[in-house]
């Protein structure tokens, strides 16, 4: 959010300096009354499981941690497709089709 505020201090419509509102979740233009919101993309973090077993991968940089698939869920993709796509890109994972 800090980066968004740093890059969006001026109205894209009229160029007037905008003001932070609603706890920083939007910026308002006092000149043209435009409301500006940060882009928010849904993300998925999943635990691939079968019965009582769960899939996880070891991370070489953090050998005592387990890695699970996750990432941004693209628009027009349902949650099931996102799980398949994200888990299929991780070595050692195979999500059910």
């Amino acid at each position: 959010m800090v980066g968004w505020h740093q890059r969006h201090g001026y109205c894209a419509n009229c160029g007037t300096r905008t003001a932070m509102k609603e706890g920083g979740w939007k910026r308002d233009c006092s000149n043209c009354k435009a409301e500006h919101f940060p882009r928010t993309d849904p993300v998925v973090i999943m635990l691939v499981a079968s019965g009582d077993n769960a899939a996880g991968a070891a991370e070489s940089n953090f050998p005592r941690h387990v890695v699970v698939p996750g990432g941004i869920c693209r628009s027009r993709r349902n949650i099931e497709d996102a799980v398949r796509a994200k888990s299929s890109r991780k070595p050692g994972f195979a999500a059910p089709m």
Side-chain angles (χ1 to χ4, degrees), residues 46 78-89 95-97:
M46 69 228 43
N78 63 35
I79 191 72
E80 292 84 3
D81 290 341
V83 169
R84 284 187 204 95
K86 299 301 176 190
S87 61
S88 68
R89 291 186 191 130
M97 299 311 229

Side-chain angles (χ1 to χ4, degrees), residues 5-85:
H5 284 291
Q6 290 172 341
R7 292 186 308 273
H8 295 86
Y10 294 89
C11 180
N13 296 330
C14 70
T16 302
R17 183 129 179 93
T18 57
M20 191 184 322
K21 300 291 181 180
E22 296 188 25
W25 289 102
K26 81 172 186 174
R27 296 189 72 88
D28 282 345
C29 177
S30 60
N31 184 48
C32 71
K33 308 301 182 210
E35 297 177 313
H36 303 279
F37 297 91
R39 178 177 172 171
T40 55
D41 294 314
V43 297
V44 292
I45 299 173
M46 69 228 43
L47 178 64
V48 180
S50 177
D52 290 339
N53 299 316
E59 176 64 47
S60 61
N61 294 332
F62 304 98
R64 295 167 67 184
H65 292 88
V66 175
V67 177
V68 296
I72 295 172
C73 184
R74 294 195 176 110
S75 62
R76 296 183 302 275
R77 179 181 278 173
N78 63 35
I79 191 72
E80 292 84 3
D81 290 341
V83 169
R84 284 187 204 95

